[in-house]
Amino acid sequence: MTPMLTIAIKAARNAGDIIQQASDNISKLTINIKTKNDYVTEVDQIAEREIINVIRTSYPEHAILAEETGKQAGNDYIWIIDPLDGTTNFLHGFPMYAISIALQHKNKLVLAVVYDPVRDELFTAERGGGAMLNNRKIRVTQPNSLKGTLLGTGFPFKSKQNLDAYLGMFSALVGDTAGIRRAGAAALDLAYVAAGRLDGFWEIGLQPWDMAAGILLIQEAGGVSTDFSFKDHYLSSGNLISASPKIHQAMYKAIEPHVTDNLK
Ligand code: IPD
Ligand code: CA
Ligand code: CA
């Protein structure tokens, strides 16, 4: 394990402790609405401060892109941080949320940590070193077709603009699979694809911090990710399809006819 991964794990675990302590007293939290259907609490902010503090103590020269506080300039290394992915779940006591931390170097993702503090599950990856769950190697599944697969997704709940396109994608896929889950924490959904618990995932309108760590986990677990134009511009477009190569092909084929111009 490299020193950078050790630091990322420490940051994620510290944030996990803060979040779990707060989960005992959710009704006392101050909740603010960022935009429609998009909530933030002081837990998100305190957890983010702690993550940045741990990282900056060891790597003061690195840049930061964090959900709640935005960008901090630095060198070629950028830490991409979601301190609490699944805030709506957290606020409802629905136990699917995680901390997501990725490191990008010269536009390449090099390190990923997704930590589920409820189950104490730590998903980690370093570029070229494989993906792990609690120090055990994980791999994506390799089904031959969509038949019998379990897919993950997220709904476009913040704006209705892409709802029709999304519903077209959903109905093109649902009949061919064994089921589709919307668990409400994209970083964890992607970690589940890497661990073979889901066979694939797609969502419209993600942010870099929702997906950066998950994308590297999937890559290191033998899977692939693209945007809706079969390119690798997912971090900027926010649109993502991830799975093993064969299932990715099948998902892309079903999704592509419903991709409107603004989603390309
Ligand atoms: C959200 C979750 C959700 C996804 C949204 C994200 P947040 O992140 O990942 O599953 O559908 O697009 O914004 O706001 O809870 O960090
Ligand atoms: Ca998020
Ligand atoms: Ca968040």
Side-chain angles (χ1 to χ4, degrees), residues 61-213:
E61 70 286 6
H62 288 188
I64 303 273
L65 172 62
E67 178 173 12
E68 310 306 342
T69 47
K71 284 186 185 159
Q72 291 183 44
N75 65 11
D76 289 342
Y77 285 94
I78 306 175
W79 293 86
I80 304 174
I81 300 163
D82 190 336
L84 175 49
D85 183 52
T87 297
T88 302
N89 285 348
F90 171 76
L91 287 173
H92 287 260
F94 186 94
M96 286 295 285
Y97 47 85
I99 296 103
S100 179
I101 302 175
L103 179 62
Q104 206 181 31
H105 183 228
K106 296 187 176 167
N107 284 327
K108 283 208 161 95
L109 293 166
V110 293
L111 176 158
V113 172
V114 173
Y115 179 54
D116 170 352
V118 178
R119 297 167 190 78
D120 191 23
E121 288 194 325
L122 181 71
F123 300 85
T124 56
E126 286 185 284
R127 192 177 192 81
M132 314 278 208
L133 164 52
N134 290 346
N135 287 323
R136 291 191 154 182
K137 267 227 149 114
I138 48 175
R139 301 287 298 166
V140 296
T141 56
Q142 301 284 350
N144 279 321
S145 72
L146 286 173
K147 195 162 177 270
T149 56
L150 185 63
L151 302 182
T153 188
F155 305 142
F157 61 99
K158 282 177 203 158
S159 104
K160 291 227 169 84
Q161 193 203 357
N162 297 317
L163 196 55
D164 287 344
Y166 177 79
L167 291 174
M169 297 171 187
F170 186 90
S171 53
L173 283 163
V174 70
D176 288 338
T177 67
I180 298 182
R181 301 286 179 264
R182 195 297 191 245
L188 211 47
D189 290 328
L190 293 170
Y192 277 24
V193 173
R197 293 173 178 175
L198 290 170
D199 299 298
F201 175 84
W202 90 101
E203 186 162 344
I204 294 173
L206 290 167
Q207 296 293 333
W209 43 81
D210 299 317
M211 58 177 144

Side-chain angles (χ1 to χ4, degrees), residues 30-89:
T30 312
I31 302 165
N32 291 308
I33 302 181
K34 288 198 274 189
T35 54
K36 187 169 167 264
N37 292 343
D38 193 2
Y39 301 94
V40 62
T41 70
E42 65 256 43
V43 181
D44 302 60
Q45 287 154 344
I46 295 166
E48 180 164 305
R49 211 177 303 143
E50 172 62 18
I51 294 167
I52 293 174
N53 189 29
V54 170
I55 291 170
R56 284 242 143 155
T57 302
S58 293
Y59 303 108
E61 70 286 6
H62 288 188
I64 303 273
L65 172 62
E67 178 173 12
E68 310 306 342
T69 47
K71 284 186 185 159
Q72 291 183 44
N75 65 11
D76 289 342
Y77 285 94
I78 306 175
W79 293 86
I80 304 174
I81 300 163
D82 190 336
L84 175 49
D85 183 52
T87 297
T88 302
N89 285 348

